[in-house]
Structures are given as C-alpha cells and as structure tokens.
C-alpha cells in the first residue's frame, strides 16, 4: 500500500468566537486525498485553557509550551499517520488542536508517546466524536482568507 501524502500547507487567519472575541485559526490545506480514504472518521479536539491577556491570547511562556506540544505532535504524526492534525484555534483563553483519527485508541497511544518528553502535567482536556464527512474541517476552511494569485 502506498504511503498517504499529507499536505504540509497551512494558513492562518483571524476569526471570532460566539462572543465576538478574536481567535486565530490555523488550518491545513489540501486534505481531499485524506478525506477520500474514508478512514479518518473520528474528530478529536484537544483543549488547553489558559489565563488570557487583554487580547485573549496566552502569555509568552504558555505560548512557548503550546508550540512544543504542537511540534512534538507534528513530528509523531509524520512518523505514524494514525491521525491528521487539521487545525489549531488560539484565543479567548484556550487553544484547541483538531485531529481526525483512524481510531481513538491509536490516537491515544500516539499522543502519549509524542508527549512523553514533557515532564510536567499539561492542562489538556479532550472531546471526540465521529465526523466521517469532516464537517468541522470544511467549516474551518471557510475562515481562510483568499490568497492573492
């Protein structure tokens, strides 16, 4: 079986939550080939709540730790495509990473292995549900600002 080519093309754009607070949305482009496999049916949201600054963003120290988590997960997902990180939302006192996974158990194992180098307990919470049509991903893509050609 050929290895699945997963896009590394990302975009970032400002958006707003339901209360009108700024949320920076970072999304991954060009995942039609992943969606077409019909294997990645579980959407998992991993949330880190933080004390926001006046603009709703994390302080430098918290932001730096979040980037370490992102980098460790991206590295692990390149080695084992048991899941695909599709989006990152930051603002209004929380960061949410969104993944689509083949199975919840495979994602849990990958997550635990990826974050093993971090010795402190992280304030992470999780929500998972089936989303075989990738509805959340398609909605997130509407936040992308059109590129000038």
């Amino acid at each position: 079986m050929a290895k699945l080519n997963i896009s590394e093309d990302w975009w970032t754009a400002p958006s707003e939550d339901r209360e009108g607070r700024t949320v920076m949305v970072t999304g991954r482009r060009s995942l039609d080939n992943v969606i077409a496999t019909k294997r990645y049916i579980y959407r998992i949201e991993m949330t880190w709540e933080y004390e926001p600054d006046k603009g709703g963003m994390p302080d430098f120290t918290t932001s730096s730790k979040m980037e370490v988590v992102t980098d460790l997960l991206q590295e692990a997902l390149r080695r084992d495509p048991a899941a695909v990180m599709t989006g990152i939302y930051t603002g209004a006192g929380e960061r949410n990473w969104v993944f689509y996974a083949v199975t919840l158990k495979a994602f849990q194992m990958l997550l635990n292995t990826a974050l093993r180098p971090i010795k402190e307990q992280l304030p992470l919470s999780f929500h998972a549900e089936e989303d075989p049509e990738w509805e959340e991903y398609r909605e997130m893509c509407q936040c992308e600002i059109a590129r000038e050609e």
Side-chain angles (χ1 to χ4, degrees):
M1 185 166 116
K3 183 177 176 173
L4 184 61
N5 184 23
I6 300 174
S7 168
E8 289 292 340
D9 189 12
W10 293 83
W11 55 268
T12 300
S15 187
E16 291 183 345
D17 69 3
R18 289 183 179 95
E19 285 80 43
R21 299 174 294 189
T22 300
V23 175
M24 296 304 295
V25 180
T26 300
R28 191 176 223 152
R29 287 187 186 96
S30 306
L31 292 177
D32 290 341
N33 64 322
V34 179
I35 296 168
T37 69
K38 302 214 181 281
R39 295 182 62 226
Y40 294 83
I41 64 169
Y42 296 99
R43 184 180 74 243
I44 302 160
E45 296 178 18
M46 182 174 83
T47 302
W48 179 327
E49 292 185 12
Y50 58 85
E51 188 63 41
D53 65 14
K54 290 178 185 174
M57 297 297 152
D59 62 32
F60 179 78
T61 301
T62 303
S63 179
S64 296
K65 289 177 184 178
M66 291 173 174
E67 290 311 309
V68 169
V69 168
T70 300
D71 291 346
L72 288 170
L73 288 168
Q74 289 282 46
E75 183 181 317
L77 292 167
R78 283 186 198 101
R79 287 191 309 269
D80 179 1
V84 177
M85 185 185 301
T86 59
I88 304 168
Y89 300 79
T90 307
E94 61 183 41
R95 172 170 287 185
N96 291 295
W97 291 265
V98 180
F99 306 86
Y100 281 82
V102 176
T103 70
L104 298 177
K105 183 175 183 176
F107 177 80
Q108 180 184 12
M109 291 171 58
L110 182 135
L111 178 77
N112 289 337
T113 301
L115 299 184
R116 189 170 291 138
I118 299 174
K119 300 305 178 196
E120 66 184 285
Q121 184 172 349
L122 300 174
L124 300 175
S125 61
F126 296 85
H127 172 78
E129 63 183 54
E130 289 187 27
D131 183 5
E133 301 302 318
W134 287 52
E135 291 175 23
E136 189 281 338
Y137 175 76
R138 294 176 199 286
E139 184 177 312
M140 177 201 64
C141 288
Q142 294 175 12
C143 294
E144 182 180 5
I145 298 169
R147 291 190 272 189
E148 303 253 345
E149 298 299 323

